[in-house]
Coordinates of all heavy atoms in Angstrom, one line a residue:
M1083 N -23.5 2.5 -2.9 CA -22.0 2.8 -3.0 C -21.7 4.0 -2.1 O -22.5 5.0 -2.1 CB -21.7 3.1 -4.4 CG -20.3 3.6 -4.6 SD -19.8 4.1 -6.3 CE -20.6 3.0 -7.3
S1084 N -20.7 3.9 -1.4 CA -20.3 5.0 -0.5 C -19.3 6.0 -1.2 O -18.3 5.5 -1.8 CB -19.6 4.4 0.7 OG -18.9 5.4 1.5
I1085 N -19.6 7.2 -1.1 CA -18.7 8.2 -1.7 C -17.4 8.2 -1.0 O -16.3 8.3 -1.7 CB -19.4 9.6 -1.7 CG1 -20.6 9.7 -2.6 CG2 -18.4 10.7 -2.1 CD1 -21.4 10.9 -2.4
A1086 N -17.4 8.0 0.3 CA -16.1 8.0 1.0 C -15.3 6.8 0.5 O -14.0 6.9 0.4 CB -16.4 7.9 2.5
Y1087 N -15.9 5.7 0.3 CA -15.1 4.5 -0.2 C -14.5 4.8 -1.5 O -13.3 4.5 -1.8 CB -16.0 3.3 -0.3 CG -15.3 2.1 -1.0 CD1 -14.5 1.3 -0.3 CD2 -15.4 1.9 -2.4 CE1 -13.8 0.3 -0.9 CE2 -14.7 0.9 -3.0 CZ -13.9 0.1 -2.2 OH -13.2 -0.9 -2.9
V1088 N -15.3 5.4 -2.4 CA -14.8 5.7 -3.8 C -13.6 6.7 -3.7 O -12.5 6.5 -4.3 CB -15.9 6.2 -4.7 CG1 -15.3 6.7 -6.0 CG2 -17.0 5.2 -4.9
V1089 N -13.8 7.8 -3.0 CA -12.7 8.8 -2.9 C -11.5 8.2 -2.3 O -10.3 8.4 -2.8 CB -13.2 10.0 -2.0 CG1 -12.1 10.9 -1.7 CG2 -14.3 10.7 -2.8
L1090 N -11.6 7.4 -1.2 CA -10.4 6.8 -0.5 C -9.8 5.8 -1.4 O -8.6 5.7 -1.5 CB -10.9 6.2 0.8 CG -9.8 6.1 1.8 CD1 -9.0 7.4 2.1 CD2 -10.3 5.6 3.1
A1091 N -10.6 5.0 -2.2 CA -10.0 4.0 -3.1 C -9.2 4.7 -4.2 O -8.1 4.2 -4.5 CB -11.2 3.2 -3.7
V1092 N -9.7 5.7 -4.7 CA -9.0 6.4 -5.8 C -7.7 7.0 -5.2 O -6.6 6.9 -5.8 CB -9.8 7.5 -6.4 CG1 -9.0 8.4 -7.4 CG2 -11.0 6.8 -7.2
L1093 N -7.7 7.7 -4.1 CA -6.5 8.3 -3.5 C -5.5 7.3 -3.1 O -4.3 7.5 -3.4 CB -6.9 9.2 -2.3 CG -7.7 10.5 -2.7 CD1 -8.1 11.2 -1.4 CD2 -6.9 11.4 -3.6
L1094 N -5.9 6.2 -2.4 CA -5.0 5.2 -2.0 C -4.4 4.5 -3.2 O -3.2 4.2 -3.2 CB -5.7 4.2 -1.1 CG -4.9 3.1 -0.4 CD1 -3.7 3.7 0.3 CD2 -5.7 2.2 0.5
S1095 N -5.2 4.3 -4.3 CA -4.7 3.7 -5.5 C -3.6 4.5 -6.1 O -2.6 4.0 -6.6 CB -5.8 3.4 -6.5 OG -6.7 2.5 -6.0
L1096 N -3.8 5.8 -6.1 CA -2.8 6.7 -6.7 C -1.5 6.7 -5.9 O -0.4 6.6 -6.4 CB -3.3 8.2 -6.7 CG -4.4 8.5 -7.7 CD1 -4.9 9.9 -7.5 CD2 -3.8 8.4 -9.1
M1097 N -1.6 6.6 -4.5 CA -0.4 6.5 -3.7 C 0.3 5.2 -4.0 O 1.5 5.1 -4.0 CB -0.8 6.6 -2.2 CG -1.2 8.0 -1.8 SD -1.4 8.2 0.0 CE -3.2 7.8 0.1
L1098 N -0.5 4.1 -4.1 CA 0.1 2.8 -4.4 C 0.9 2.8 -5.8 O 2.0 2.2 -5.9 CB -0.9 1.7 -4.4 CG -1.5 1.4 -3.0 CD1 -2.7 0.5 -3.1 CD2 -0.4 0.6 -2.2
V1099 N 0.3 3.4 -6.8 CA 0.9 3.5 -8.1 C 2.2 4.3 -8.1 O 3.2 3.9 -8.6 CB -0.1 4.0 -9.1 CG1 0.6 4.3 -10.4 CG2 -1.2 3.0 -9.4
V1100 N 2.1 5.4 -7.4 CA 3.3 6.3 -7.3 C 4.5 5.5 -6.5 O 5.6 5.5 -7.0 CB 3.0 7.6 -6.6 CG1 4.3 8.3 -6.2 CG2 2.1 8.4 -7.5
S1101 N 4.1 4.8 -5.5 CA 5.1 4.1 -4.7 C 5.6 2.9 -5.5 O 6.8 2.6 -5.5 CB 4.4 3.5 -3.4 OG 5.3 2.8 -2.7
G1102 N 4.7 2.2 -6.2 CA 5.2 1.1 -7.0 C 6.1 1.5 -8.2 O 7.1 0.9 -8.5
R1103 N 5.7 2.7 -8.8 CA 6.6 3.2 -9.8 C 8.0 3.5 -9.3 O 9.0 3.2 -10.0 CB 6.0 4.5 -10.4 CG 6.8 5.0 -11.6 CD 6.4 6.5 -11.9 NE 7.3 7.1 -12.8 CZ 8.5 7.6 -12.5 NH1 8.9 7.6 -11.3 NH2 9.2 8.1 -13.4
G1104 N 8.0 4.1 -8.1 CA 9.3 4.4 -7.5 C 10.2 3.2 -7.4 O 11.4 3.2 -7.5
K1105 N 9.6 2.1 -7.0 CA 10.3 0.8 -6.9 C 10.8 0.3 -8.2 O 11.9 -0.2 -8.4 CB 9.5 -0.2 -6.2 CG 9.3 0.1 -4.7 CD 8.3 -0.8 -4.0 CE 8.1 -0.6 -2.6 NZ 7.5 0.7 -2.3
L1106 N 9.9 0.4 -9.3 CA 10.3 -0.2 -10.6 C 11.4 0.6 -11.2 O 12.2 0.0 -11.9 CB 9.0 -0.2 -11.5 CG 8.1 -1.3 -11.2 CD1 6.9 -1.3 -12.3 CD2 8.7 -2.7 -11.2
V1107 N 11.4 2.0 -11.1 CA 12.4 2.8 -11.7 C 13.6 2.9 -10.8 O 14.6 3.6 -11.2 CB 11.9 4.2 -12.1 CG1 10.8 4.0 -13.1 CG2 11.5 5.0 -10.9
K1108 N 13.6 2.2 -9.7 CA 14.7 2.2 -8.7 C 15.1 3.7 -8.3 O 16.2 4.1 -8.3 CB 15.9 1.5 -9.2 CG 15.5 0.0 -9.5 CD 16.8 -0.8 -9.7 CE 16.5 -2.2 -10.1 NZ 15.8 -3.0 -9.1
D1109 N 14.1 4.4 -7.9 CA 14.3 5.8 -7.4 C 15.3 5.7 -6.2 O 15.1 4.9 -5.3 CB 12.9 6.4 -6.9 CG 13.1 7.8 -6.4 OD1 13.7 8.0 -5.3 OD2 12.6 8.7 -7.1
P1110 N 16.3 6.5 -6.3 CA 17.3 6.4 -5.2 C 16.8 6.6 -3.8 O 17.2 5.9 -2.9 CB 18.3 7.6 -5.5 CG 18.1 7.8 -7.0 CD 16.7 7.5 -7.3
K1111 N 15.8 7.5 -3.6 CA 15.2 7.7 -2.3 C 14.5 6.4 -1.8 O 14.6 6.0 -0.7 CB 14.3 8.9 -2.2 CG 15.0 10.2 -2.4 CD 14.0 11.3 -2.3 CE 14.7 12.6 -2.5 NZ 13.7 13.8 -2.6
V1112 N 13.7 5.8 -2.7 CA 13.0 4.6 -2.4 C 13.9 3.5 -2.1 O 13.8 2.7 -1.1 CB 12.0 4.2 -3.6 CG1 11.4 2.9 -3.3 CG2 11.0 5.3 -3.8
M1113 N 15.0 3.3 -2.9 CA 15.9 2.3 -2.8 C 16.7 2.4 -1.4 O 17.0 1.4 -0.8 CB 16.9 2.2 -3.9 CG 16.2 1.8 -5.3 SD 15.1 0.4 -5.2 CE 16.3 -0.9 -5.0
A1114 N 17.0 3.6 -1.0 CA 17.7 3.9 0.2 C 16.8 3.4 1.4 O 17.4 2.7 2.3 CB 18.0 5.3 0.4
V1115 N 15.5 3.7 1.4 CA 14.6 3.2 2.4 C 14.6 1.7 2.4 O 14.6 1.1 3.5 CB 13.2 3.8 2.3 CG1 12.3 3.2 3.2 CG2 13.3 5.3 2.4
L1116 N 14.4 1.1 1.3 CA 14.3 -0.4 1.2 C 15.6 -1.0 1.7 O 15.6 -2.1 2.3 CB 14.0 -0.8 -0.2 CG 12.6 -0.4 -0.7 CD1 12.4 -0.8 -2.2 CD2 11.5 -1.1 0.1
D1117 N 16.8 -0.4 1.3 CA 18.1 -1.0 1.8 C 18.2 -0.9 3.3 O 18.7 -1.8 4.0 CB 19.2 -0.2 1.1 CG 19.4 -0.6 -0.3 OD1 18.9 -1.6 -0.8 OD2 20.0 0.2 -1.1
A1118 N 17.7 0.3 3.9 CA 17.7 0.5 5.3 C 17.0 -0.5 6.1 O 17.3 -0.9 7.2 CB 17.2 1.9 5.6
V1119 N 15.9 -1.0 5.5 CA 15.1 -2.0 6.2 C 15.4 -3.4 5.8 O 14.8 -4.4 6.3 CB 13.5 -1.8 6.1 CG1 13.1 -0.5 6.7 CG2 13.1 -1.9 4.7
G1120 N 16.4 -3.6 4.9 CA 16.9 -4.9 4.6 C 16.1 -5.7 3.6 O 16.2 -6.9 3.5
V1121 N 15.5 -5.0 2.7 CA 14.7 -5.6 1.6 C 15.8 -6.1 0.5 O 16.6 -5.3 0.1 CB 13.7 -4.7 0.9 CG1 13.0 -5.3 -0.3 CG2 12.6 -4.3 2.0
V1122 N 15.7 -7.3 0.2 CA 16.6 -7.9 -0.9 C 16.2 -7.3 -2.2 O 15.0 -7.2 -2.5 CB 16.5 -9.4 -0.9 CG1 17.4 -10.0 -1.9 CG2 16.8 -10.0 0.5
S1123 N 17.2 -6.9 -3.0 CA 16.9 -6.2 -4.3 C 16.0 -7.0 -5.2 O 15.2 -6.4 -6.0 CB 18.2 -5.8 -4.9 OG 18.9 -6.9 -5.3
G1124 N 16.1 -8.3 -5.1 CA 15.3 -9.2 -6.0 C 13.8 -9.1 -5.6 O 12.9 -9.4 -6.4
L1125 N 13.5 -8.6 -4.4 CA 12.1 -8.5 -4.0 C 11.4 -7.2 -4.4 O 10.2 -7.0 -4.3 CB 11.9 -8.8 -2.5 CG 12.2 -10.2 -2.0 CD1 12.0 -10.2 -0.5 CD2 11.2 -11.1 -2.7
V1126 N 12.2 -6.2 -4.8 CA 11.7 -4.9 -5.1 C 10.6 -4.9 -6.2 O 9.5 -4.4 -6.0 CB 12.8 -3.9 -5.4 CG1 12.3 -2.6 -5.8 CG2 13.7 -3.7 -4.2
P1127 N 10.9 -5.6 -7.3 CA 9.8 -5.7 -8.3 C 8.5 -6.4 -7.8 O 7.4 -6.0 -8.2 CB 10.4 -6.5 -9.5 CG 11.9 -6.4 -9.3 CD 12.1 -6.3 -7.8
V1128 N 8.7 -7.4 -6.9 CA 7.5 -8.1 -6.4 C 6.7 -7.1 -5.5 O 5.5 -7.1 -5.6 CB 8.0 -9.3 -5.5 CG1 6.8 -9.9 -4.8 CG2 8.7 -10.3 -6.4
L1129 N 7.4 -6.3 -4.7 CA 6.7 -5.3 -3.9 C 5.9 -4.3 -4.8 O 4.8 -3.9 -4.5 CB 7.6 -4.6 -3.0 CG 8.3 -5.4 -1.9 CD1 9.3 -4.6 -1.2 CD2 7.3 -6.0 -1.0
A1130 N 6.5 -3.9 -5.9 CA 5.9 -3.0 -6.9 C 4.6 -3.6 -7.5 O 3.6 -3.0 -7.5 CB 6.9 -2.6 -8.0
V1131 N 4.7 -4.9 -7.9 CA 3.6 -5.6 -8.4 C 2.5 -5.7 -7.4 O 1.3 -5.6 -7.7 CB 4.0 -7.0 -9.0 CG1 2.8 -7.9 -9.3 CG2 4.9 -6.8 -10.2
L1132 N 2.8 -6.0 -6.1 CA 1.8 -6.1 -5.1 C 1.1 -4.7 -4.9 O -0.1 -4.7 -4.7 CB 2.5 -6.5 -3.8 CG 2.9 -7.9 -3.7 CD1 3.7 -8.2 -2.4 CD2 1.8 -8.9 -3.8
E1133 N 1.8 -3.6 -5.0 CA 1.2 -2.3 -4.9 C 0.3 -2.1 -6.1 O -0.8 -1.6 -5.9 CB 2.3 -1.2 -4.8 CG 3.0 -1.3 -3.4 CD 4.0 -0.2 -3.3 OE1 4.8 0.0 -4.3 OE2 4.1 0.4 -2.2
F1134 N 0.7 -2.4 -7.3 CA -0.1 -2.2 -8.5 C -1.4 -3.1 -8.4 O -2.5 -2.6 -8.7 CB 0.7 -2.5 -9.7 CG 1.8 -1.6 -10.1 CD1 3.0 -2.1 -10.6 CD2 1.7 -0.2 -9.8 CE1 4.0 -1.2 -10.9 CE2 2.7 0.6 -10.1 CZ 3.9 0.2 -10.6
A1135 N -1.2 -4.3 -7.9 CA -2.4 -5.2 -7.8 C -3.4 -4.7 -6.8 O -4.6 -4.7 -7.0 CB -1.9 -6.6 -7.4
G1136 N -2.8 -4.1 -5.7 CA -3.7 -3.5 -4.7 C -4.5 -2.3 -5.3 O -5.7 -2.2 -5.0
A1137 N -3.8 -1.5 -6.0 CA -4.4 -0.3 -6.7 C -5.5 -0.8 -7.6 O -6.6 -0.2 -7.6 CB -3.4 0.5 -7.4
V1138 N -5.2 -1.7 -8.4 CA -6.3 -2.2 -9.4 C -7.4 -2.8 -8.6 O -8.6 -2.6 -9.0 CB -5.6 -3.2 -10.4 CG1 -6.7 -3.9 -11.2 CG2 -4.6 -2.5 -11.3
G1139 N -7.1 -3.6 -7.6 CA -8.2 -4.3 -6.9 C -9.1 -3.3 -6.2 O -10.3 -3.4 -6.1
L1140 N -8.5 -2.2 -5.6 CA -9.3 -1.2 -5.0 C -10.2 -0.5 -6.0 O -11.4 -0.2 -5.7 CB -8.4 -0.2 -4.3 CG -7.7 -0.6 -3.0 CD1 -6.7 0.4 -2.5 CD2 -8.7 -1.1 -1.9
L1141 N -9.7 -0.2 -7.2 CA -10.5 0.5 -8.2 C -11.6 -0.4 -8.8 O -12.7 0.1 -8.9 CB -9.6 1.0 -9.3 CG -8.6 2.1 -8.9 CD1 -7.7 2.5 -10.0 CD2 -9.3 3.4 -8.4
V1142 N -11.2 -1.6 -9.0 CA -12.3 -2.6 -9.5 C -13.3 -2.8 -8.4 O -14.5 -3.0 -8.7 CB -11.6 -3.9 -10.0 CG1 -12.7 -4.9 -10.3 CG2 -10.7 -3.6 -11.2
G1143 N -12.8 -2.7 -7.2 CA -13.7 -2.9 -6.0 C -14.8 -1.9 -5.9 O -15.8 -2.1 -5.2
I1144 N -14.6 -0.8 -6.6 CA -15.7 0.3 -6.6 C -17.0 -0.3 -7.2 O -18.1 -0.1 -6.8 CB -15.2 1.5 -7.4 CG1 -14.1 2.2 -6.6 CG2 -16.4 2.5 -7.6 CD1 -13.4 3.3 -7.3
G1145 N -16.8 -1.2 -8.3 CA -17.9 -1.8 -8.9 C -18.2 -3.2 -8.4 O -19.4 -3.6 -8.5
Y1146 N -17.2 -3.9 -7.9 CA -17.4 -5.2 -7.4 C -16.8 -5.3 -6.1 O -15.6 -5.6 -5.9 CB -16.8 -6.3 -8.4 CG -17.0 -7.7 -8.0 CD1 -18.2 -8.3 -8.0 CD2 -15.9 -8.5 -7.6 CE1 -18.4 -9.6 -7.6 CE2 -16.1 -9.8 -7.3 CZ -17.3 -10.3 -7.2 OH -17.5 -11.6 -6.8
R1147 N -17.6 -5.0 -5.1 CA -17.2 -4.8 -3.7 C -16.4 -6.0 -3.1 O -15.4 -5.7 -2.4 CB -18.3 -4.4 -2.8 CG -17.9 -3.7 -1.5 CD -17.0 -2.5 -1.7 NE -17.4 -1.6 -2.7 CZ -18.0 -0.5 -2.4 NH1 -18.4 -0.1 -1.2 NH2 -18.4 0.3 -3.4
P1148 N -16.7 -7.3 -3.4 CA -15.9 -8.3 -2.8 C -14.4 -8.2 -3.2 O -13.5 -8.5 -2.3 CB -16.5 -9.6 -3.3 CG -18.0 -9.2 -3.5 CD -17.9 -7.8 -4.0
L1149 N -14.1 -7.8 -4.4 CA -12.7 -7.7 -4.8 C -12.1 -6.5 -4.0 O -11.0 -6.5 -3.7 CB -12.6 -7.5 -6.3 CG -11.2 -7.3 -6.8 CD1 -10.4 -8.6 -6.5 CD2 -11.2 -7.1 -8.3
G1150 N -12.9 -5.4 -3.8 CA -12.4 -4.3 -3.1 C -12.1 -4.6 -1.7 O -11.0 -4.2 -1.1
V1151 N -12.9 -5.5 -1.0 CA -12.6 -6.0 0.3 C -11.3 -6.8 0.3 O -10.4 -6.6 1.2 CB -13.7 -6.8 0.9 CG1 -13.3 -7.4 2.2 CG2 -15.0 -5.9 1.1
A1152 N -11.2 -7.7 -0.6 CA -10.0 -8.5 -0.7 C -8.7 -7.7 -1.0 O -7.7 -7.9 -0.3 CB -10.1 -9.6 -1.8
A1153 N -8.8 -6.7 -1.8 CA -7.7 -5.8 -2.1 C -7.3 -5.0 -0.9 O -6.1 -4.8 -0.6 CB -8.0 -4.9 -3.3
A1154 N -8.3 -4.5 -0.2 CA -8.1 -3.7 1.0 C -7.4 -4.6 2.1 O -6.5 -4.1 2.8 CB -9.4 -3.1 1.5
V1155 N -7.8 -5.8 2.2 CA -7.1 -6.7 3.2 C -5.6 -6.8 2.8 O -4.7 -6.8 3.6 CB -7.8 -8.1 3.2 CG1 -6.9 -9.1 4.0 CG2 -9.2 -8.0 3.9
G1156 N -5.4 -7.0 1.5 CA -4.0 -7.2 1.0 C -3.2 -5.9 1.3 O -2.0 -6.0 1.7
V1157 N -3.8 -4.8 1.0 CA -3.1 -3.5 1.2 C -2.8 -3.3 2.7 O -1.7 -2.8 3.1 CB -3.9 -2.3 0.6 CG1 -3.2 -1.0 0.9 CG2 -3.9 -2.5 -0.9
V1158 N -3.8 -3.6 3.6 CA -3.5 -3.5 5.0 C -2.4 -4.4 5.4 O -1.5 -4.0 6.2 CB -4.8 -3.9 5.8 CG1 -4.5 -4.1 7.3 CG2 -5.9 -2.8 5.7
L1159 N -2.3 -5.6 5.0 CA -1.2 -6.5 5.3 C 0.1 -6.0 4.8 O 1.1 -6.2 5.4 CB -1.5 -8.0 4.8 CG -2.7 -8.7 5.5 CD1 -3.0 -10.0 4.8 CD2 -2.4 -8.9 6.9
Y1160 N 0.1 -5.5 3.6 CA 1.3 -4.9 3.0 C 1.9 -3.8 3.9 O 3.1 -3.8 4.2 CB 1.0 -4.4 1.6 CG 2.2 -3.8 0.9 CD1 3.0 -4.6 0.0 CD2 2.5 -2.4 1.0 CE1 4.1 -4.1 -0.6 CE2 3.6 -1.9 0.3 CZ 4.4 -2.7 -0.5 OH 5.5 -2.2 -1.1
F1161 N 1.0 -2.9 4.3 CA 1.6 -1.8 5.1 C 1.8 -2.2 6.5 O 2.7 -1.6 7.2 CB 0.6 -0.6 5.0 CG 0.8 0.1 3.7 CD1 -0.3 0.2 2.8 CD2 2.0 0.7 3.3 CE1 -0.2 0.8 1.6 CE2 2.1 1.3 2.1 CZ 1.0 1.4 1.2
L1162 N 1.1 -3.2 7.0 CA 1.5 -3.8 8.3 C 2.9 -4.3 8.3 O 3.7 -4.1 9.2 CB 0.5 -4.8 8.8 CG 0.7 -5.5 10.1 CD1 0.7 -4.5 11.2 CD2 -0.3 -6.6 10.3
G1163 N 3.2 -5.0 7.2 CA 4.5 -5.6 7.0 C 5.6 -4.5 6.9 O 6.7 -4.6 7.4
A1164 N 5.2 -3.4 6.2 CA 6.1 -2.2 6.1 C 6.4 -1.6 7.5 O 7.6 -1.4 7.8 CB 5.6 -1.2 5.2
V1165 N 5.4 -1.5 8.3 CA 5.6 -0.9 9.6 C 6.5 -1.9 10.5 O 7.5 -1.4 11.1 CB 4.3 -0.7 10.4 CG1 4.5 -0.4 11.8 CG2 3.5 0.5 9.7
I1166 N 6.2 -3.2 10.4 CA 7.0 -4.1 11.1 C 8.5 -4.1 10.6 O 9.4 -4.2 11.4 CB 6.4 -5.5 11.0 CG1 5.1 -5.6 11.8 CG2 7.4 -6.6 11.5 CD1 4.2 -6.8 11.5
A1167 N 8.7 -4.0 9.3 CA 10.0 -4.0 8.8 C 10.8 -2.8 9.3 O 12.0 -2.9 9.7 CB 10.0 -3.9 7.2
H1168 N 10.2 -1.6 9.4 CA 10.8 -0.4 9.9 C 11.1 -0.6 11.4 O 12.2 -0.2 11.9 CB 10.0 0.8 9.7 CG 10.0 1.3 8.3 ND1 11.1 2.0 7.7 CD2 9.1 1.2 7.3 CE1 10.8 2.3 6.5 NE2 9.6 1.8 6.2
L1169 N 10.2 -1.1 12.2 CA 10.4 -1.3 13.6 C 11.5 -2.4 13.9 O 12.2 -2.2 14.9 CB 9.1 -1.7 14.3 CG 8.0 -0.6 14.3 CD1 6.7 -1.2 14.9 CD2 8.5 0.5 15.2
R1170 N 11.5 -3.4 13.1 CA 12.5 -4.5 13.2 C 13.9 -3.9 13.2 O 14.8 -4.4 14.0 CB 12.3 -5.5 12.2 CG 13.2 -6.7 12.3 CD 12.9 -7.7 11.2 NE 12.9 -7.2 9.8 CZ 14.0 -7.0 9.1 NH1 15.2 -7.3 9.6 NH2 13.9 -6.4 7.9
V1171 N 14.2 -3.0 12.4 CA 15.6 -2.4 12.3 C 15.7 -1.1 13.0 O 16.7 -0.4 12.8 CB 16.0 -2.2 10.8 CG1 16.1 -3.6 10.1 CG2 15.1 -1.3 10.1
K1172 N 14.7 -0.8 13.8 CA 14.7 0.4 14.7 C 14.8 1.7 13.8 O 15.4 2.7 14.2 CB 15.7 0.4 15.7 CG 15.5 -0.7 16.7 CD 16.7 -0.8 17.7 CE 16.5 -1.9 18.7 NZ 16.3 -3.2 18.2
D1173 N 14.1 1.7 12.6 CA 14.1 2.8 11.7 C 12.8 3.6 12.1 O 11.8 3.5 11.4 CB 14.1 2.4 10.3 CG 13.9 3.6 9.3 OD1 14.3 4.7 9.7 OD2 13.4 3.4 8.2
V1174 N 12.8 4.4 13.1 CA 11.6 5.1 13.6 C 11.2 6.2 12.6 O 10.1 6.6 12.6 CB 11.8 5.6 15.0 CG1 11.9 4.5 16.0 CG2 13.0 6.5 15.1
K1175 N 12.2 6.7 11.8 CA 11.8 7.7 10.8 C 10.9 7.2 9.7 O 10.1 8.0 9.2 CB 13.1 8.3 10.2 CG 14.0 9.1 11.1 CD 15.1 9.8 10.3 CE 15.8 8.8 9.4 NZ 17.0 9.3 8.7
G1176 N 11.0 5.9 9.5 CA 10.1 5.3 8.4 C 8.8 4.9 8.9 O 7.9 4.6 8.1
V1177 N 8.6 4.8 10.2 CA 7.3 4.3 10.7 C 6.1 5.2 10.4 O 5.0 4.7 10.0 CB 7.4 4.0 12.2 CG1 6.1 3.6 12.8 CG2 8.4 2.8 12.4
P1178 N 6.2 6.5 10.6 CA 5.0 7.4 10.4 C 4.5 7.3 9.0 O 3.2 7.2 8.8 CB 5.6 8.8 10.7 CG 6.7 8.6 11.6 CD 7.3 7.3 11.2
G1179 N 5.3 7.2 8.0 CA 4.8 7.1 6.6 C 4.0 5.9 6.4 O 2.9 5.8 5.9
S1180 N 4.6 4.7 6.7 CA 4.0 3.4 6.6 C 2.8 3.3 7.5 O 1.8 2.7 7.2 CB 5.0 2.3 6.9 OG 6.0 2.3 6.0
G1181 N 2.9 3.9 8.7 CA 1.8 3.9 9.7 C 0.6 4.6 9.2 O -0.6 4.1 9.3
V1182 N 0.8 5.8 8.6 CA -0.4 6.5 8.0 C -1.0 5.7 6.9 O -2.3 5.7 6.9 CB 0.1 7.9 7.5 CG1 -1.0 8.6 6.7 CG2 0.5 8.8 8.7
L1183 N -0.2 5.2 6.0 CA -0.8 4.4 5.0 C -1.5 3.1 5.5 O -2.5 2.7 4.9 CB 0.2 4.0 3.9 CG 0.7 5.2 3.1 CD1 1.9 4.9 2.3 CD2 -0.4 5.7 2.3
L1184 N -1.0 2.6 6.6 CA -1.7 1.4 7.2 C -3.1 1.9 7.8 O -4.1 1.2 7.5 CB -0.8 0.9 8.4 CG -1.5 -0.2 9.3 CD1 -1.8 -1.4 8.4 CD2 -0.5 -0.6 10.4
V1185 N -3.1 3.0 8.4 CA -4.4 3.5 8.9 C -5.4 3.8 7.8 O -6.6 3.5 7.9 CB -4.2 4.8 9.8 CG1 -5.5 5.4 10.2 CG2 -3.4 4.4 11.1
V1186 N -4.9 4.5 6.7 CA -5.7 4.8 5.6 C -6.3 3.5 4.9 O -7.4 3.4 4.6 CB -5.0 5.7 4.6 CG1 -5.7 5.8 3.3 CG2 -4.6 7.0 5.2
S1187 N -5.4 2.5 4.8 CA -5.9 1.3 4.2 C -6.8 0.5 5.1 O -7.8 -0.1 4.6 CB -4.7 0.4 3.8 OG -3.9 0.1 4.9
A1188 N -6.6 0.6 6.4 CA -7.6 0.0 7.3 C -8.9 0.7 7.3 O -10.0 0.1 7.3 CB -7.0 0.1 8.8
A1189 N -8.9 2.0 7.1 CA -10.2 2.8 6.9 C -10.9 2.4 5.6 O -12.1 2.2 5.6 CB -9.9 4.3 6.9
E1190 N -10.1 2.2 4.6 CA -10.6 1.7 3.3 C -11.3 0.3 3.5 O -12.4 0.1 2.9 CB -9.5 1.7 2.2 CG -10.0 1.2 0.9 CD -10.9 2.2 0.2 OE1 -11.1 3.3 0.7 OE2 -11.4 1.8 -0.9
L1191 N -10.6 -0.6 4.2 CA -11.2 -1.9 4.5 C -12.5 -1.8 5.2 O -13.4 -2.5 4.9 CB -10.1 -2.7 5.2 CG -10.6 -4.1 5.7 CD1 -11.1 -5.0 4.5 CD2 -9.5 -4.8 6.5
A1192 N -12.5 -0.9 6.2 CA -13.7 -0.8 7.0 C -14.9 -0.3 6.2 O -16.0 -0.7 6.2 CB -13.5 0.2 8.2
L1193 N -14.6 0.7 5.3 CA -15.6 1.2 4.4 C -16.1 0.2 3.4 O -17.3 0.1 3.1 CB -15.1 2.5 3.7 CG -14.9 3.7 4.5 CD1 -14.2 4.8 3.7 CD2 -16.3 4.3 4.9
A1194 N -15.1 -0.6 2.9 CA -15.5 -1.6 1.9 C -16.4 -2.7 2.5 O -17.4 -3.1 1.9 CB -14.2 -2.2 1.3
A1195 N -16.0 -3.1 3.7 CA -16.8 -4.1 4.4 C -18.2 -3.6 4.8 O -19.2 -4.3 4.7 CB -16.0 -4.6 5.6
A1196 N -18.2 -2.3 5.2 CA -19.5 -1.8 5.6 C -20.5 -1.5 4.5 O -21.7 -1.5 4.7 CB -19.2 -0.4 6.4
T1197 N -20.0 -1.4 3.3 CA -20.9 -1.0 2.2 C -21.1 -2.3 1.3 O -21.5 -2.1 0.2 CB -20.3 0.1 1.4 OG1 -19.0 -0.2 0.9 CG2 -20.2 1.4 2.2
M1198 N -20.8 -3.4 1.8 CA -21.0 -4.6 0.9 C -22.4 -5.0 0.9 O -23.2 -4.9 1.8 CB -20.2 -5.8 1.5 CG -18.9 -6.0 0.7 SD -18.0 -7.5 1.2 CE -18.8 -8.7 0.2

């Protein structure tokens, strides 16, 4: 087991839970960003569930690495979609946050795959 994988899995999971919570409670700042990129309000709970599933998958993946790899792939795709959504509407202010999380999730995927 890689210490780096575990630390990154825990930190990324915490970020996913905080982000998902913001969507579920309809935090005004979160909703403003989602509105700016054109996310339909009916999809907001789905995005929150995807974030929670990614967080759980990363944490369970500490003990069962194939699930960690699958969760990391999902999280990478989620944040890739977020970056694309921001770029699509020319919201360059939103790209760095999603981009950093994309890079962190890609690092998590690399660590998960390397330690299988």
